[in-house]
Amino acid sequence: MAHPARTALLGLIVPVLFVPAPPSPTTAAIDADVWTPVAASVVNDDIAAMGRVYHPAAVLVAADRTQPIAQVLTGWGKDMVANKARGIRATVEFRFTKRQDDAETAFEAGMFKYTVTDRSGVSTPSFVRMEALLVKSQGKWRILMERQLETVTEAAWNALPAR
């Protein structure tokens, strides 16, 4: 039989163990320097703003290739211009499974949800697993490597906590 005092103590401790910790100051800074501006740049069709979150030597790693981010941004910028002309809007959201950092480097893994809304208002989301290696450069967090992995289901997305 459990001791009543121990049972009462466990009843107080166990719920506290499962309360999510607030974001660390580094995580909050990364969100402010990287993920929030990326989301805004997609909504605003602003490839220059998106480019500012990447380190100049950044690389995109896709399933079949690697490319300097400068080349990738050129293509993404052309897509933004073409989509805007066709009345297509887009949004992006991020959720994370791992956020590991110190004062100058970070590794983050999770998913992004990229939603395209056509002129008639029909939205089509896609869900992609991703990883990012970040560095603090000149006082700001910057993506050094972005790895886009396989697409996943909406259920997999929904299983992750929102930021």
Side-chain angles (χ1 to χ4, degrees):
M1 179 170 190
H3 187 276
R6 177 179 278 166
T7 303
L9 181 59
L10 286 175
L12 293 175
I13 293 173
V14 173
V16 174
L17 295 176
F18 297 108
V19 174
S24 73
T26 303
T27 298
I30 291 169
D31 287 346
D33 287 351
V34 177
W35 306 119
T36 300
V38 167
S41 71
V42 170
V43 168
N44 297 318
D45 296 313
D46 188 347
I47 199 66
M50 182 181 289
R52 288 190 290 272
V53 305
Y54 289 92
H55 187 278
V59 173
L60 175 71
V61 179
D64 59 347
R65 69 187 183 290
T66 61
Q67 284 183 278
I69 201 62
Q71 290 176 6
V72 176
L73 288 169
T74 298
W76 289 347
K78 288 177 184 176
D79 291 344
M80 284 180 175
V81 169
N83 286 340
K84 188 173 184 176
R86 293 193 312 253
I88 296 172
R89 296 172 288 124
T91 61
V92 68
E93 299 173 54
F94 299 93
R95 293 185 180 175
F96 298 96
T97 56
K98 182 172 191 148
R99 301 189 89 176
Q100 176 181 333
D101 57 60
D102 65 22
E104 296 181 23
T105 63
F107 172 78
E108 302 200 326
M111 298 177 198
F112 65 85
K113 175 184 177 183
Y114 184 79
T115 305
V116 175
T117 305
D118 69 18
R119 183 176 292 194
S120 65
V122 175
S123 294
T124 307
S126 58
F127 307 91
V128 179
R129 274 193 345 106
M130 51 85 64
E131 299 173 335
L133 181 63
L134 301 102
V135 293
K136 198 162 192 182
S137 177
Q138 299 176 352
K140 295 281 187 181
W141 285 96
R142 298 291 174 246
I143 300 171
L144 184 59
M145 183 275 306
E146 176 181 339
R147 184 174 180 211
Q148 294 185 6
L149 301 157
E150 73 279 359
T151 58
V152 295
T153 65
E154 185 172 3
W157 169 261
N158 290 335
L160 296 179
R163 296 193 291 132

